[in-house]
Amino acid sequence: MTKSYSQGRMPQYPKAYWLDSVSIPSFPSLTEDVDVDVAIVGGGITGITSAYLLSQKGVKVGLIESGRLLNGTTGSTTAKVTAQHGLIYDELITTLGEEKAKLYYESNKQAMDFVKSVVKEQQIDCELQEEDAYIYTQSADYIQQLTNEINAYEKLGIPGEFVSSTPLPFPVNGAVIMKNQAQFHPLKYLIYFINKITENGGLIFEQTPAVDITTGPRAQVIAKNGNKLSCNHMIIATHFPFEDKLGFFFARMHADRSYVLAVKTKQEFPGGMYINAEQPTRSLRYTMINGEKLVLFGGDHHKTGQGIDTFKHYEALEAFADSTFGIEKIPYRWSAQDLTTSDKVPYIGKMTDQYNHIFLATGYRKWGMTNGTVAALMLSDMILGKETPYEELYRPYRFHADPDLKQLVTDNLDVAKHLIKGKLELVKRQPEDLANDEGAVVSVNGKRAGAYRDEQGNLHIVDTTCTHMGCELEWNNGDRSWDCPCHGSRFSVDGDVLEGPAEYPLQKLD
């Protein structure tokens, strides 16, 4: 096999192809109090699309992002634009009923159609390509589940087909097709919206972490530096809600990490978008870079901060890619974090029934391009006073006895297990034991700590107690970060927050 990253030194920081292939406009931070009609917190697909839609209607919007625009989950997607979200429709019929399952499909179909139409009408050069989407299985044990899914398609009026083979170069036991779905370059698509927002008078501020809100008639987003964005309506679209006192979303969602390799393959990729039904997850689709076709191999998800050495997941994807298409080179690799609600339907709408002017969007599972667009279409309509047929389905403060209660108990038992496990762990390693470019849990003055020795030999030592709820963090070797096994917070080697729900950095230790 041609030498790839796992046979040499793995790049220290993963970088998605999307982030490496475009120049994203930059904006100043918020340095004074500002008044707008709508304040939007979060510079991903939901925040930017919402700001675009509202500014097109003459609404004055102000959007703030804690870091750089598009550098979070939106910049780490596989960028499928599809209403086929794995084996979801049979499950939704069982748990929520046919009516809500149909609304879920219709809202995502509407979002996909919006993406296609705006790209065509505005002639956005974002490599949009229509492709058929497949859920396939190589296990006879999953044929019944695929049969149940195609039956659900028929009940809901979803165009689809069950087939016994696919264009992939390996045998399958069966597959379900949803035709005429799409894939694109998400950043090239959203940069068009960013330019339109500023043309329409919208304000964008980067490097402006939000830390709190006020909920009066003129609500406020309060930035870390103390400056405020005052507004009539507010949208919180920060992947994990930075403000969680109103909804306790940390206990109603769980965080998963998943992995992607962008591979130049020896064998030609046949087109189409694929995901398997069984575990471990394997997702495939292609993209073009400088006239060269790269295949995106994704999957191997697990709860954040839990499981095996994260580097092993990249190795597992590499082995799959090599055994199916062959590998010439692997120019890009990255990981992503996704949030899943207890019933697998995102939280979109008014954050609580008490505040009609504060809106939330989160919990897209692994389908952020369509679900994020659903959120933008819904929230912009609700702010403009238009009715949406999807409000009840996505309402953030909903609760179903099944599956919400069952998943709530399961997730929080898991939290308790890892909280106790971390406190009882016996740590033997010392900071001086670490080689260059190695991180581990160590003992410092008899207490648990986290240490990373960088490639220059400098030690970075932090307290491993998560600043959210006190769980003990685990070292993520694949991404060089400290990850929380309880609620998915992530921190850099110097303790800075990379992912919520934590808001505050880790304490640095000498």
Side-chain angles (χ1 to χ4, degrees):
M1 189 181 100
T2 303
K3 181 178 178 181
S4 66
Y5 72 88
S6 70
Q7 294 166 299
R9 178 171 291 279
M10 184 175 64
Q12 182 173 357
Y13 296 109
K15 192 170 188 180
Y17 153 61
W18 322 117
L19 294 169
D20 203 32
S21 60
V22 295
S23 177
I24 303 171
S26 60
F27 297 90
S29 60
L30 180 67
T31 57
E32 61 182 2
D33 293 350
V34 173
D35 289 320
V36 293
D37 296 323
V38 179
I40 301 173
V41 188
I45 186 167
T46 300
I48 291 171
T49 308
S50 297
Y52 165 76
L53 292 168
L54 291 166
S55 67
Q56 288 287 93
K57 297 295 184 180
V59 177
K60 184 178 181 181
V61 299
L63 184 151
I64 66 172
E65 167 58 41
S66 62
R68 290 292 318 279
L69 293 178
L70 302 174
N71 271 244
T73 302
T74 299
S76 299
T77 179
T78 52
K80 297 177 182 178
V81 186
T82 175
Q84 188 191 68
H85 297 171
L87 296 173
I88 188 65
Y89 291 103
D90 179 60
E91 182 176 352
L92 290 180
I93 288 173
T94 300
T95 58
L96 303 181
E98 284 190 29
E99 182 181 352
K100 288 183 177 178
K102 188 170 185 176
L103 287 171
Y104 183 88
Y105 169 75
E106 290 175 348
S107 61
N108 279 276
K109 174 70 162 54
Q110 181 186 60
M112 181 177 65
D113 290 344
F114 168 81
V115 171
K116 290 180 180 180
S117 65
V118 76
V119 168
K120 181 178 180 180
E121 291 167 6
Q122 304 304 323
Q123 298 183 330
I124 303 172
D125 182 13
C126 63
E127 303 165 22
L128 183 75
Q129 181 74 32
E130 284 200 350
E131 297 283 349
D132 294 342
Y134 296 77
I135 309 171
Y136 72 89
T137 184
Q138 293 182 280
S139 169
D141 295 339
Y142 279 80
I143 290 296
Q144 187 59 54
Q145 292 191 39
L146 290 180
T147 301
N148 293 343
E149 189 71 3
I150 197 65
N151 290 339
Y153 282 22
E154 294 174 1
K155 288 179 183 177
L156 302 174
I158 300 173
E161 182 182 355
F162 183 91
V163 294
S164 57
S165 63
T166 73
L168 293 170
F170 51 83
V172 302
N173 287 70
V176 171
I177 308 176
M178 192 178 284
K179 292 184 177 292
N180 302 318
Q181 307 300 289
Q183 59 187 36
F184 68 163
H185 191 303
L187 273 58
K188 290 181 179 180
Y189 169 76
L190 289 169
I191 286 170
Y192 170 83
F193 287 174
I194 290 169
N195 292 331
K196 282 296 181 181
I197 292 164
T198 56
E199 286 179 20
N200 294 336
L203 305 174
I204 299 176
F205 303 98
E206 293 184 312
Q207 307 296 342
T208 305
V211 295
D212 205 355
I213 65 172
T214 64
T215 56
R218 283 288 287 173
Q220 293 180 322
V221 179
I222 303 172
K224 188 176 181 179
N225 61 11
N227 292 310
K228 302 176 182 67
L229 197 61
S230 299
C231 57
N232 295 319
H233 296 92
M234 182 189 304
I235 295 175
I236 298 174
T238 52
H239 191 44
F240 194 98
F242 78 94
E243 166 52 55
D244 198 25
K245 293 192 293 288
L246 301 177
F248 297 100
F249 295 102
F250 70 86
R252 299 166 55 201
M253 296 189 290
H254 69 264
D256 278 345
R257 300 294 299 170
S258 57
Y259 303 85
V260 183
L261 300 180
V263 181
K264 179 170 175 52
T265 58
K266 293 179 179 178
Q267 186 169 336
E268 180 70 13
F269 188 78
M273 305 186 301
Y274 306 85
I275 189 168
N276 65 340
E278 58 267 36
Q279 298 297 323
T281 302
R282 294 289 179 260
S283 168
L284 304 91
R285 73 94 151 180
Y286 76 92
T287 187
M288 301 298 296
I289 174 170
N290 299 324
E292 185 176 67
K293 183 181 286 188
L294 298 180
V295 182
L296 304 184
F297 293 89
D300 241 50
H301 71 91
H302 62 91
K303 280 194 174 182
T304 301
Q306 301 183 24
I308 62 175
D309 180 349
T310 51
F311 182 42
K312 299 295 184 183
H313 297 291
Y314 289 112
E315 291 182 323
L317 286 177
E318 181 182 8
F320 174 72
D322 192 43
S323 67
T324 53
F325 284 87
I327 295 174
E328 284 194 16
K329 62 180 179 179
I330 305 175
Y332 299 96
R333 64 130 193 140
W334 66 90
S335 65
Q337 183 142 311
D338 298 287
L339 296 169
T340 301
T341 69
S342 55
D343 62 5
K344 299 185 179 179
V345 175
Y347 295 136
I348 304 168
K350 299 170 186 174
M351 180 176 274
T352 73
D353 59 359
Q354 186 178 359
Y355 302 107
N356 292 324
H357 58 318
I358 299 175
F359 299 86
L360 171 84
T362 187
Y364 300 154
R365 208 156 49 104
K366 301 181 186 304
W367 307 100
M369 293 299 98
T370 38
N371 275 326
T373 304
V374 168
L377 294 170
M378 281 182 59
L379 297 182
S380 58
D381 278 350
M382 294 172 76
I383 288 171
L384 293 170
K386 300 179 182 178
E387 290 189 3
T388 168
Y390 312 120
E391 184 173 355
E392 183 181 351
L393 170 65
Y394 291 104
R395 181 176 291 137
Y397 52 91
R398 68 183 182 269
F399 187 84
H400 309 288
D402 185 19
D404 288 2
L405 183 58
K406 183 188 302 180
Q407 193 63 49
L408 187 69
V409 170
T410 300
D411 285 346
N412 285 282
L413 283 174
D414 185 62
V415 167
K417 180 184 75 174
H418 282 88
L419 178 62
I420 295 168
K421 178 184 175 183
K423 301 303 182 187
L424 297 178
E425 182 180 2
L426 181 62
V427 180
K428 295 182 179 180
R429 298 195 72 180
Q430 303 294 318
E432 54 267 27
D433 298 336
L434 299 182
N436 286 5
D437 194 25
E438 182 182 8
V441 173
V442 297
S443 178
V444 175
N445 297 325
K447 295 183 178 180
R448 191 184 199 271
Y452 170 70
R453 189 184 295 277
D454 63 30
E455 294 182 333
Q456 288 71 45
N458 302 308
L459 274 171
H460 306 254
I461 306 179
V462 294
D463 185 337
T464 57
T465 302
C466 182
T467 57
H468 176 229
M469 292 189 70
C471 291
E472 294 299 326
L473 306 173
E474 299 294 339
W475 175 244
N476 179 337
N477 185 44
D479 297 332
R480 309 303 199 278
S481 63
W482 292 101
D483 297 357
C484 179
C486 293
H487 300 111
S489 297
R490 298 179 60 241
F491 302 83
S492 73
V493 295
D494 289 317
D496 298 323
V497 177
L498 300 175
E499 301 265 5
E503 297 180 22
Y504 301 102
L506 301 175
Q507 180 184 356
K508 292 184 181 181
L509 303 178
D510 294 331

